[in-house]
Amino acid sequence: MAKDDTRQPMLAVLIDADNAQASITEGMLSEVAKYGVASVKRIYGDWTNPHLGSWKDVLLEHSIQPFQQFAYTKGKNATDSAMIIDAMDLLYTRRFDGFCLVSSDSDFTRLASRIREEGLLVYGFGEKKTPKSFVAACDRFIFTEVLRTVQEEEPKVKRQGARELKRDAKLVLLFRSALEAAADDTGWAQLGSVGSTIAKQSPEFDPRNYGYTRLGELVTAIGLFEVNERVLKDGQSKAIYIRDSRKRSGS
């Protein structure tokens, strides 16, 4: 049977209700839709707990299936265990191309690693307080602060100016090392290739973390790189190329 190249990746979305806010659901699902189809949407928590009440209308609106997990022992997170067991069951069905794990809890670090060991993609969603171990275990990690909420038109991230961006040594180094890896002999590299390299080096990288919608906007704002839009060989398509401004004197 011929492979269907038009088939979208099938994703399982699993939400830890104890460590996620109902208000980010719409933005989170819109983000998930960029990567594939959310064929399974499940959320785990102790629904007898009043603090999960904000999820009620959201679950109905977005057809998210709630799973009840009683907190049998104080101080033990039974929700995490239930979600991990379900994730492994879904993994072994071999029906999915990837998983979306929505939580800011480091307890899911090993789960993310295990799923990736099977060759599947893992997209993590959590707050900026999420432990680095969980962030690094995912192929891509999206901080929920950059997502639009039901009540807001814009995400809660202030746009950083050139001075702030230039002073961010980690950000500048990330761009320069990725550019060096993707550049040709003249020092120029297609921005898309640079972005792909950055994503592999830093799963949590996202232009929206700095208040910019697109990668091209961010790299231009930094002010340390030459930016050039070129027409490709087909004569119709265009692509953005960048080069470290320090190379200019040697060009």
Side-chain angles (χ1 to χ4, degrees):
M1 181 180 295
K3 182 179 179 181
D4 183 5
D5 293 330
T6 64
R7 186 183 79 86
Q8 290 186 288
M10 305 298 286
L11 304 174
V13 180
L14 307 181
I15 306 169
D16 174 11
D18 294 330
N19 281 284
Q21 299 296 319
S23 60
I24 60 96
T25 305
E26 187 172 319
M28 180 268 294
L29 291 177
S30 294
E31 188 75 16
V32 170
K34 297 178 183 179
Y35 309 117
V37 177
S39 56
V40 166
K41 292 178 286 186
R42 298 181 181 180
I43 186 168
Y44 303 81
D46 183 356
W47 301 103
T48 64
N49 193 324
H51 88 274
L52 296 185
S54 60
W55 281 101
K56 183 177 179 181
D57 293 337
V58 174
L59 302 186
L60 292 172
E61 182 181 354
H62 296 286
S63 299
I64 301 174
Q65 185 178 5
F67 281 74
Q68 170 64 31
Q69 183 59 51
F70 291 104
Y72 295 109
T73 305
K74 187 175 181 180
K76 299 292 184 181
N77 198 335
T79 298
D80 290 3
S81 298
M83 183 167 152
I84 290 170
I85 291 170
D86 244 18
M88 295 306 296
D89 287 343
L90 292 171
L91 175 65
Y92 291 136
T93 65
R94 309 294 180 185
R95 293 162 39 208
F96 301 95
D97 300 293
F99 281 71
C100 300
L101 305 179
V102 186
S103 179
S104 301
D105 194 335
S106 63
D107 287 351
F108 297 106
T109 300
R110 180 61 186 127
L111 174 62
S113 298
R114 181 67 184 86
I115 293 172
R116 291 180 69 189
E117 287 172 3
E118 292 295 317
L120 277 65
L121 293 170
V122 177
Y123 302 99
F125 291 81
E127 298 177 5
K128 289 186 177 179
K129 67 180 182 181
T130 304
K132 182 65 176 178
S133 59
F134 181 32
V135 173
C138 300
D139 290 284
R140 181 168 173 76
F141 198 94
I142 297 91
F143 291 128
T144 54
E145 286 89 346
V146 306
L147 301 177
R148 287 181 172 84
T149 67
V150 175
Q151 294 84 12
E152 298 172 321
E153 293 184 358
E154 296 296 332
K156 299 179 181 179
V157 179
K158 180 183 177 182
R159 173 169 286 198
Q160 296 184 22
R163 179 176 297 181
E164 291 176 279
L165 295 172
K166 288 178 181 177
R167 289 178 175 176
D168 189 333
K170 181 180 178 181
L171 174 65
V172 174
L173 179 61
L174 195 61
F175 265 100
R176 282 178 169 160
S177 60
L179 177 55
E180 184 177 351
D184 59 20
D185 293 339
T186 66
W188 288 96
Q190 192 168 334
L191 184 60
S193 298
V194 174
S196 297
T197 302
I198 289 176
K200 293 175 183 177
Q201 296 175 352
S202 180
E204 74 272 26
F205 175 81
D206 192 318
R208 293 172 296 181
N209 294 337
Y210 304 90
Y212 294 86
T213 304
R214 300 181 182 279
L215 185 61
E217 294 176 352
L218 175 59
V219 74
T220 300
I222 294 174
L224 296 175
F225 303 92
E226 295 180 71
V227 181
N228 185 4
E229 186 176 67
R230 302 179 185 178
V231 177
L232 300 181
K233 292 181 179 180
D234 62 11
Q236 298 179 342
S237 305
K238 294 183 179 180
I240 295 175
Y241 282 75
I242 68 170
R243 182 173 68 170
D244 193 328
S245 295
R246 297 177 302 179
K247 299 280 188 179
R248 185 182 302 164
S249 60
S251 59

